[in-house]
Structure formats: structure tokens, C-alpha cells
Amino acid sequence: MTLRNAYGQLGVRAELPAVDLAVQHKDGGGTRYGSLAPSWTGSSRNGHCVLVLPDAERFVDATVEQFDEAREIGMGPMVSKVALSIGGNSSLMEPGAQVVLQRGEPLLTYTVAGPESLTSIVGHREEAAHTDEHRRTGVNVTSFALVALRGEGVRERAMQAPHPRLRALLRAVGDAPYEADEAGDVRFCLPDQSDRERWLRLDEIPLPPSVPAAWHRS
């Protein structure tokens, strides 16, 4: 949820399907994680989710290393380019859709659960109680990402990305100093709409009207 908000701040559409994950080894053994019917035990969620970026045709499993087989390989989060779009819609949001990826020796097969499974996650009271926290943390994650992307030798490539909001934010932030305030929010020292220098959060930075809004889907 936090990462979906972070992508959204850059104008990148990110969907969040609930999945079942099967890890299979060459010897035929394996383990199944997640569920096609995720549930809750008190405040603990029983299930697994990934992110699908339909416009960028990317599949992201940010927490794959919570599973022993993936953690032992030490390759970090799973980010893979796959054919996701059919007629402008993400086929991977359809129940039963699968993505099969190699991760070192094991083969990882992700199966998408139905929309009611996702609703049981994002609509749960425990998740709803953290909605503001996910958004705030996502804004901070994006702020640090922009600091990295404006670095020498990186900014030029970042400005070629097909995301108008990302490019606009990079132009707006420029080389402005940044720091975390007492609440832990990252702020940039920039002119506000009255042209007065202030310490602004990323979602407070004024952008031209033509710039797409941050992507969000409740």
C-alpha cells in the first residue's frame, strides 16, 4: 500500500492484486504462500500482494524476501517486465491470471485472486486505520527517490521517463535543499504559490496546471 502511494506520487498507475505464490524447485519440491482467499487473524493478515504497473508493464513483488527461498538468494525485491496489457487493461488483474518468473534456481508462479479477495484486504478495518500512514510514508519514499534521481549522471536518464509528473517534480525540486522535520516528513526548501521560500512536502509543491495529478485509487 505504501509503495502504491509512492508510485502514485510520480503519476505511475499501480494496481494491487492479492496473489497465491507457489515456489517450485528443480527437484520437484516447493512451498505455497499467500492464498486465493486471504483472511485475517486479529490484526495479522494471512495472504500476499504484489503490484502491477500496467502502463510500464512491470510486475513488482516488494516483499518477496519475506520467504526463505527468495531471501537466501539475496536478489532484493522482484521487479520484472512482463506482458501485462490487453486492450489497455491489465490482464493480470483478472482472477486466475498467472505470472511465472525465475528467481535463481526456484521457479515462482503467481496466481491472481478475485477482486473480492483484494477487498477483504484493503477494506479491512486494520488496513483502513493505516490509510493516512501509507500515504504519508509513500510521499516520503518518493521524496528520497527524487533526491536520488536528481543526482549527477542519473537526472538526464530520469528526465526521459514517460511520466510527465515525474519530470515536472524533478524540475520543481531542482537542487533545493531537503531535510526531515520533527514529524519525520521530508521537506524541500522551495518557493510556495506566493513565491515565499518554505519547507514543503512533496505533495505541497506547486506544479503547473498541465501536470497530471498524483495517481490514486481508493
Side-chain angles (χ1 to χ4, degrees):
M1 295 290 286
T2 294
L3 189 56
R4 182 174 73 158
N5 276 283
Y7 278 120
Q9 288 298 317
L10 299 176
V12 178
R13 182 163 60 108
E15 302 284 2
L16 183 75
V19 296
D20 166 277
L21 169 60
V23 181
Q24 185 176 4
H25 299 277
K26 289 182 178 179
D27 62 6
T31 310
R32 186 174 295 277
Y33 300 101
S35 172
L36 294 179
S39 60
W40 290 80
T41 302
S43 61
S44 298
R45 184 176 63 211
N46 310 311
H48 189 50
C49 289
V50 296
L51 285 174
V52 173
L53 314 183
D55 304 320
E57 295 193 327
R58 290 296 191 278
F59 179 91
V60 180
D61 187 348
T63 61
V64 68
E65 287 200 327
Q66 67 183 295
F67 307 124
D68 292 341
E69 297 93 334
R71 185 168 58 254
E72 290 171 359
I73 297 169
M75 294 176 63
M78 171 77 79
V79 181
S80 181
K81 182 176 176 61
V82 293
L84 303 176
S85 299
I86 297 177
N89 296 315
S90 173
S91 59
L92 283 187
M93 295 306 294
E94 298 297 324
Q98 288 191 331
V99 169
V100 181
L101 300 170
Q102 194 81 35
R103 186 71 163 184
E105 180 267 322
L107 197 66
L108 277 60
T109 301
Y110 294 86
T111 304
V112 175
E116 67 282 353
S117 298
L118 180 59
T119 300
S120 75
I121 295 174
V122 299
H124 193 273
R125 62 181 182 277
E126 285 291 335
E127 201 62 58
H130 294 88
T131 297
D132 290 341
E133 178 185 344
H134 289 313
R135 185 182 184 282
R136 174 184 167 189
T137 308
V139 170
N140 288 328
V141 168
T142 306
S143 299
F144 284 121
L146 283 175
V147 171
L149 291 174
R150 72 181 184 177
E152 184 178 354
V154 180
R155 187 179 188 279
E156 185 175 340
R157 283 187 295 144
M159 289 298 290
Q160 302 302 313
H163 304 295
R165 186 174 178 83
L166 165 60
R167 300 195 300 268
L169 284 169
L170 280 172
R171 285 191 292 266
V173 168
D175 296 322
Y178 70 99
E179 64 179 25
D181 62 17
E182 293 180 357
D185 291 325
V186 179
R187 296 181 182 271
F188 296 88
C189 187
L190 290 167
D192 63 11
Q193 292 181 338
S194 302
D195 210 30
R196 293 180 301 176
E197 280 203 343
R198 292 178 52 203
W199 288 95
L200 302 173
R201 286 188 3 155
L202 188 69
D203 54 353
E204 298 172 336
I205 296 174
L207 298 173
S210 60
V211 176
W215 184 84
H216 177 69
R217 176 176 171 180
S218 58

